[in-house]
Amino acid sequence: MMKLTVLGSTGSIGTQTLEVVQEQGNITIEALGAGRNIKLLEEQIRKFSPRYACVADSEAAKELQIAVADTETKVISGADGMEELAADPASDTVVGAIVGIAGLRSSLAAVKAGKRLALANKETLVTAGDLIRRARKESGAELIPVDSEHSAVFQCLEAISSERRKAELKRVILTASGGPFVGKKADELRDVTPEKALKHPNWEMGAKITIDSATLMNKGLEVLEAAQLFDVTVDQVDVLVHRQSIVHSMIETIDGAVLAQMGVPDMKLPIQYALTYPDRRPMQNNTLNLAEITALTFEKPDLETFRPLALAYDAGRMGHTMPCVINGANEAAVALFLQKKIGFLDIFEMLAKTMQAHEVIKNPTLTDIIEADRWAREMVMQNFARK
Ligand code: MG
């Protein structure tokens, strides 16, 4: 019986994880961590009876405590609480699905504790790839990606023995749906509103990641994450716009073979695979009918228009704290855009300006990373105040 902790349980990945858990039937939920969606968390507690539940802060904890007073679940709160649950030896697997850099500390705690980490939080590897790598070496923790692209690459890499991977893997090719504005030029993007940007053609996701997918910053973060996860440089990670979202990503080996993982766009497969790996289990309603799709198309992304992707490559080449800085700046800028305080293209400008102003700190510690993130957000707010 797998003992699972789900951090970020009320978000898009978290709720789908719990659906997989229900369908699998051989997984117990040890703990749930969520932000402030007390109503949904209460429902989840009643359904899965975890030993612990953690919420964002003490105010939310009070509210939850009252709501679930008749259950056995103990309520804790804050980043310390999430970290505690991630490290708790009562669970063997942790799903890291907290959105943003808020998920970093708990991811690191799970890795240090030697757990299997099913990782949906991109920021963990984008901001602290080296720290995670070192911690994994020491603890032997397994890191299985949940993001559809990284899961696809991970699945393709099963074709190469792990000792030969460094020598035989030539390129990672991430696919991108292109978001709702694919094909548009900068002057057509000026008046984009949050409402328009939140309409994604193929995937259902949270608000922040949907905006990131409209700016292509989501793909930029995925490039940075892939480089860390698969131990390649960002220049070995290519991006292809593939509007059908059927090929979830590919690898190219040194002999020119290209391996792809395909499937209907449904996050439940990568979630389930991260939990059951190396086993595969049946999934309902998940049959890909290629004859119905008829054509799969691929094109180069427009890096001139969608500058965040180009900036992410730059950040990856510079390394150290720069990926953390572009990520922090992006979180702050997207929040301002969602509040309708800045325009769509202002996000691009704020990323570039923040990167320009940053002097990288080499081989950053966790404290350096948290400070670089804070600094980047502050820079965005200062830029905004000057506008
Ligand atoms: Mg993705």
Side-chain angles (χ1 to χ4, degrees):
M1 194 73 131
M2 174 186 288
K3 295 184 168 179
L4 186 66
T5 288
V6 182
L7 300 180
S9 70
T10 56
S12 168
I13 296 292
T15 51
Q16 293 181 80
T17 300
L18 292 176
E19 283 172 35
V20 169
V21 167
Q22 241 180 337
E23 285 156 22
Q24 286 295 318
N26 57 350
I27 302 170
T28 50
I29 297 291
E30 281 297 315
L32 296 173
R36 287 187 186 81
N37 190 344
I38 303 302
K39 203 168 165 283
L40 180 55
L41 184 56
E42 182 193 344
E43 274 172 40
Q44 293 176 342
I45 289 171
R46 295 196 182 278
K47 200 179 266 176
F48 295 98
S49 311
R51 288 170 49 245
Y52 285 95
C54 183
V55 284
D57 50 48
S58 55
E59 212 168 292
K62 257 184 230 155
E63 204 184 313
L64 181 66
Q65 202 119 45
I66 294 166
V68 299
D70 60 322
T71 69
E72 307 268 286
T73 303
K74 287 191 195 85
V75 177
I76 59 174
S77 68
D80 290 344
M82 299 289 179
E83 214 174 328
E84 225 173 276
L85 294 186
D88 186 350
S91 72
D92 45 55
T93 304
V94 173
V95 173
I98 294 174
V99 177
I101 196 161
L104 170 58
R105 277 177 56 196
S106 50
S107 292
L108 194 56
V111 169
K112 280 187 175 162
K115 309 257 179 112
R116 170 177 293 192
L117 175 61
L119 185 62
N121 170 276
K122 292 188 171 74
E123 292 76 7
T124 296
L125 287 172
V126 168
T127 65
D130 288 336
L131 288 185
I132 294 284
R133 194 190 326 237
R134 264 179 269 148
R136 274 179 77 190
K137 238 185 214 164
E138 271 172 38
S139 70
E142 280 183 299
L143 183 56
I144 320 270
V146 165
D147 209 353
S148 62
E149 294 81 358
H150 303 81
S151 174
V153 171
F154 185 85
Q155 292 176 58
C156 292
L157 281 171
E158 290 292 296
I160 316 177
S161 75
S162 52
E163 313 82 68
R164 303 286 308 149
R165 230 161 253 179
K166 189 91 192 150
E168 292 181 4
L169 174 66
K170 187 174 171 193
R171 261 196 317 158
V172 166
I173 306 161
L174 301 180
T175 53
S177 68
F181 308 128
V182 63
K184 296 240 187 302
K185 292 289 169 199
D187 52 341
E188 298 171 272
L189 295 176
R190 199 143 291 145
D191 301 324
V192 162
T193 57
E195 289 79 10
K196 277 190 215 158
L198 285 171
K199 281 203 187 98
H200 193 278
N202 301 345
W203 297 94
E204 291 242 4
M205 302 172 292
K208 196 263 176 184
I209 186 170
T210 306
I211 301 301
D212 284 350
S213 126
T215 63
L216 287 201
M217 184 59 191
N218 182 53
K219 211 48 56 178
L221 294 174
E222 288 181 358
V223 167
L224 294 167
E225 188 187 6
Q228 291 291 344
L229 196 53
F230 305 117
D231 197 17
V232 291
T233 65
V234 286
D235 292 302
Q236 283 176 284
V237 183
D238 279 356
V239 172
L240 282 179
V241 173
H242 166 54
R243 301 188 196 204
Q244 298 82 18
S245 295
I246 297 298
V247 174
H248 298 315
S249 278
M250 299 174 256
I251 63 167
E252 184 183 330
T253 52
I254 46 172
D255 54 1
V258 175
L259 309 183
Q261 188 258 330
M262 294 190 259
V264 294
D266 184 347
M267 285 308 296
K268 274 200 204 162
L269 169 65
I271 292 168
Q272 174 171 295
Y273 188 68
L275 299 181
T276 65
Y277 171 82
D279 298 338
R280 288 191 182 268
R281 302 262 172 82
M283 270 203 93
Q284 305 292 313
N285 310 318
N286 214 17
T287 310
L288 175 61
N289 188 341
L290 283 174
E292 247 169 44
I293 291 159
T294 69
L296 299 175
T297 61
F298 301 93
E299 57 199 299
K300 276 197 164 162
D302 176 359
L303 292 182
E304 233 164 86
T305 304
F306 294 93
R307 279 171 64 213
L309 179 54
L311 291 169
Y313 272 103
D314 289 343
R317 288 179 197 117
M318 288 182 251
H320 303 288
T321 41
M322 199 57 97
C324 173
V325 161
I326 191 175
N327 175 70
N330 182 59
E331 276 192 36
V334 169
L336 288 173
F337 172 70
L338 284 170
Q339 294 159 27
K340 300 194 176 182
K341 289 180 176 163
I342 62 169
F344 192 70
L345 294 180
D346 294 331
I347 301 174
F348 301 11
E349 192 193 308
M350 291 205 167
L351 299 184
K353 276 193 177 159
T354 309
M355 281 176 68
Q356 270 162 22
H358 183 61
E359 281 179 41
V360 295
I361 296 152
K362 298 215 161 136
N363 306 314
T365 61
L366 184 59
T367 314
D368 295 334
I369 289 162
I370 288 166
E371 172 53 24
D373 174 71
R374 191 204 58 76
W375 176 88
R377 288 160 196 270
E378 193 187 292
M379 284 302 292
V380 168
M381 295 317 288
Q382 280 180 17
N383 274 323
F384 169 61
R386 261 185 249 124
K387 264 184 145 1

